[in-house]
Amino acid sequence: SDPELEVPVTPLPRRYSSQELPDRLFISTAHNLVNLMSSYQPKTARKQFTRAETMLWEPALTKFQSEMLDKDLRVFEELSRSQVFFADDANIRIKRYPEQAQVIVKIPGTLQKLIGNRPVDPENVIYYVTMTTIPRQQFNRYGIVVINIDSRNPNFEERDK
């Protein structure tokens, strides 16, 4: 008689809920995205923005493509604008919204811009990165995606989410 071949069932992709993943994963994702978008040189900006694009999900993706990729990137390259974001890691905060399956990470810091070789006055900025989860994939093992990114100048009305 022929030997019986046992083939396991193909596992379905697992979707982690935003509430079951630890804070550090969301903070790391938010930090990586903010660094890709806000710390660059003219020669690296396009590559970094393209990488950042892979971390985004709607509605953040369309907004990023129309504002950053279609408009701002060209200006950065033409003006030879560089910038570095110095995150204030001691004041990073995370807030979870289980009813919406969302997590918001607040990253305050200082943004130093240079046009050519001339520094521009540094400015304080706070990034708010809203994330949720989708089924995990080969290149996104926890399925964390960014659905909104917003920045505020803390000298104006600060929202505390």
Side-chain angles (χ1 to χ4, degrees):
S1 87
D2 292 335
E4 195 172 309
L5 182 60
E6 210 173 302
V7 178
V9 176
T10 305
L12 295 173
R14 175 153 170 23
R15 179 182 186 147
Y16 292 106
S17 102
S18 60
Q19 302 311 304
E20 68 182 300
L21 295 173
D23 288 355
R24 67 179 170 74
L25 293 176
F26 289 102
I27 291 170
S28 175
T29 299
H31 213 294
N32 288 340
L33 179 67
V34 167
N35 280 333
L36 285 168
M37 292 175 56
S38 62
S39 293
Y40 57 80
Q41 297 175 0
K43 292 180 180 175
T44 64
R46 185 169 300 278
K47 182 177 180 182
Q48 287 177 228
F49 285 11
T50 300
R51 172 65 184 110
E53 186 180 23
T54 67
M55 301 169 75
L56 303 175
W57 206 251
E58 294 300 342
L61 179 60
T62 298
K63 181 180 176 186
F64 180 79
Q65 289 170 333
S66 66
E67 292 177 13
M68 297 296 285
L69 288 176
D70 293 346
K71 296 176 189 170
D72 294 345
L73 182 59
R74 201 169 331 126
V75 173
F76 301 158
E77 291 171 336
E78 289 172 7
L79 292 177
S80 292
R81 183 171 125 184
S82 300
Q83 65 182 38
V84 179
F85 178 69
F86 299 98
D88 179 0
D89 290 342
N91 287 304
I92 291 175
R93 299 289 180 261
I94 185 168
K95 190 158 185 182
R96 293 173 179 268
Y97 295 89
E99 66 284 353
Q100 299 165 342
Q102 295 180 353
V103 175
I104 297 178
V105 176
K106 174 183 170 184
I107 304 178
T110 303
L111 194 58
Q112 176 64 63
K113 299 176 186 176
L114 291 105
I115 299 191
N117 291 327
R118 294 185 335 268
V120 177
D121 288 340
E123 62 182 276
N124 292 324
V125 67
I126 299 173
Y127 287 97
Y128 295 90
V129 182
T130 306
M131 293 164 278
T132 192
T133 57
I134 61 170
R136 62 189 182 144
Q137 305 161 10
Q138 180 181 356
F139 298 107
N140 186 347
R141 39 185 237 206
Y142 299 106
I144 297 172
V145 292
V146 175
I147 57 172
N148 191 42
I149 183 162
D150 196 17
S151 63
R152 300 266 190 240
N153 181 322
N155 299 330
F156 294 104
E157 180 182 329
E158 179 180 335
R159 68 177 194 187
D160 195 28
K161 282 197 166 185

